Amino acid sequence: MTGAAVLLAPPVEGDLTEDRLLDGRVRLLQPAQGYRAAIDPVLLAAATPAGGEDHVLDLGCGAGAATFCLAARLPGVRIAGLEVQPAAVDLARRNADLNGVAGRVRISLGDAAQAPGHLPPGSDPDLLAGRFDHVMTNPPFYPGGRHTRSPRAGKAVSHGEGTADLATWIAAAARLLAPRGTLTMIHRADRVDDILARLAGRFGAVVLYPLWPRAGAEARRVIIRARLGARTPARLLPGLVLHGERGGYTPAADAVLRGGEGLDF
């Protein structure tokens, strides 16, 4: 999706820019070229049903866009990030300092396919134990070999499945969650059938929340929430219309993307 809710800035350091999310409340160092956060991680953080002093894992956190949006909205929540790309880990750690949340945000280097059993020393203790209240994730959208691979390594890893395909991603979330914990994922709407098939047997109480580009248009993204070990039937909700007739954000979308409100469903 387009990143109109991201306040763009010129390069500040070599090939990095310092951009702003949530109308400037979140500062984000990210690559000037390659994969860059748009509105998907903002919506993901808004949909994650955390509160109080819950411990949340951002699985595949990248530079931390969803992590820091959640931290800005919920000042009591503790957040761990797991990311396979060393350069992105370095940026996420710098962003934690930049946003003044390093005391409750901890970023670890590691592969979702190997979590929690084979992570480097110094990883978040809860990553090793697998006891998060919530996991949120914006995984690679495209199955391996089914999209044009970007020549930029960071963008290629972020967009296309590698060692961790969709099944592995969901299995990792199941291992890392505490009993009855929730998984919140944003993904392409045309992969809903794949996602539901891989949730079956581990997760229940599935909620589908479509994101409509505009009224009357097909949804391109969907937020999916599920609870580990639940058996409650799935629900399909009305979702969120992002843009009005003139192209700007609808008031409901603007309240989330700029105002920092949560998606309560």
Side-chain angles (χ1 to χ4, degrees):
M1 289 188 177
T2 59
V6 180
L7 305 181
L8 302 178
V12 295
E13 178 185 322
D15 61 349
L16 298 180
T17 62
E18 182 187 320
D19 303 309
R20 304 294 176 102
L21 303 172
L22 299 184
D23 208 25
R25 291 169 59 194
V26 172
R27 302 168 66 184
L28 189 73
L29 292 172
Q30 58 180 340
Q33 304 293 327
Y35 177 78
R36 292 174 56 80
I39 67 174
D40 286 356
V42 184
L43 293 163
L44 174 65
T48 298
E53 297 182 356
D54 286 350
H55 201 177
V56 180
L57 172 63
D58 186 355
L59 187 60
C61 65
T67 290
F68 302 114
C69 287
L70 186 66
R73 181 167 67 87
L74 300 171
V77 166
R78 296 171 297 139
I79 309 169
L82 182 64
E83 171 57 45
V84 72
Q85 301 178 80
V89 169
D90 177 67
L91 278 180
R93 289 171 175 167
R94 292 175 63 183
N95 285 328
D97 289 330
L98 194 63
N99 287 281
V101 295
R104 60 189 178 94
V105 171
R106 186 166 182 174
I107 308 297
S108 299
L109 175 67
D111 191 335
Q114 299 179 328
H118 300 86
L119 295 176
S123 298
D124 188 301
D126 278 0
L127 269 171
L128 303 176
R131 56 171 182 261
F132 290 93
D133 301 299
H134 310 279
V135 170
M136 62 180 182
T137 187
N138 181 187
F141 283 163
Y142 299 98
R146 296 190 188 177
H147 73 295
T148 301
R149 187 175 175 85
S150 171
R152 298 183 181 277
K155 190 171 185 178
V157 172
S158 298
H159 281 187
E161 294 173 357
T163 58
D165 61 10
L166 183 58
T168 303
W169 214 266
I170 290 173
R175 293 193 301 270
L176 289 159
L177 279 167
R180 311 293 289 183
T182 68
L183 167 64
T184 304
M185 174 186 295
I186 189 167
H187 216 297
R188 290 169 55 97
D190 61 7
R191 296 203 68 188
V192 165
D193 53 348
D194 293 339
I195 296 168
L196 293 179
R198 285 154 178 78
L199 290 172
R202 292 190 180 98
F203 292 87
V206 176
V207 180
L208 302 173
Y209 190 86
L211 300 169
W212 314 102
R214 59 190 55 81
E218 285 190 14
R220 298 175 184 173
R221 298 283 191 272
V222 62
I223 297 172
I224 298 180
R225 183 190 297 162
R227 187 174 295 277
L228 184 66
R231 294 293 179 262
T232 310
R235 295 185 296 144
L236 174 61
L237 300 186
L240 177 69
V241 177
L242 294 171
H243 297 97
E245 293 182 359
R246 298 184 179 181
Y249 288 118
T250 62
D254 195 69
V256 174
L257 296 172
R258 293 197 176 98
E261 291 187 9
L263 287 170
D264 186 14
F265 62 88

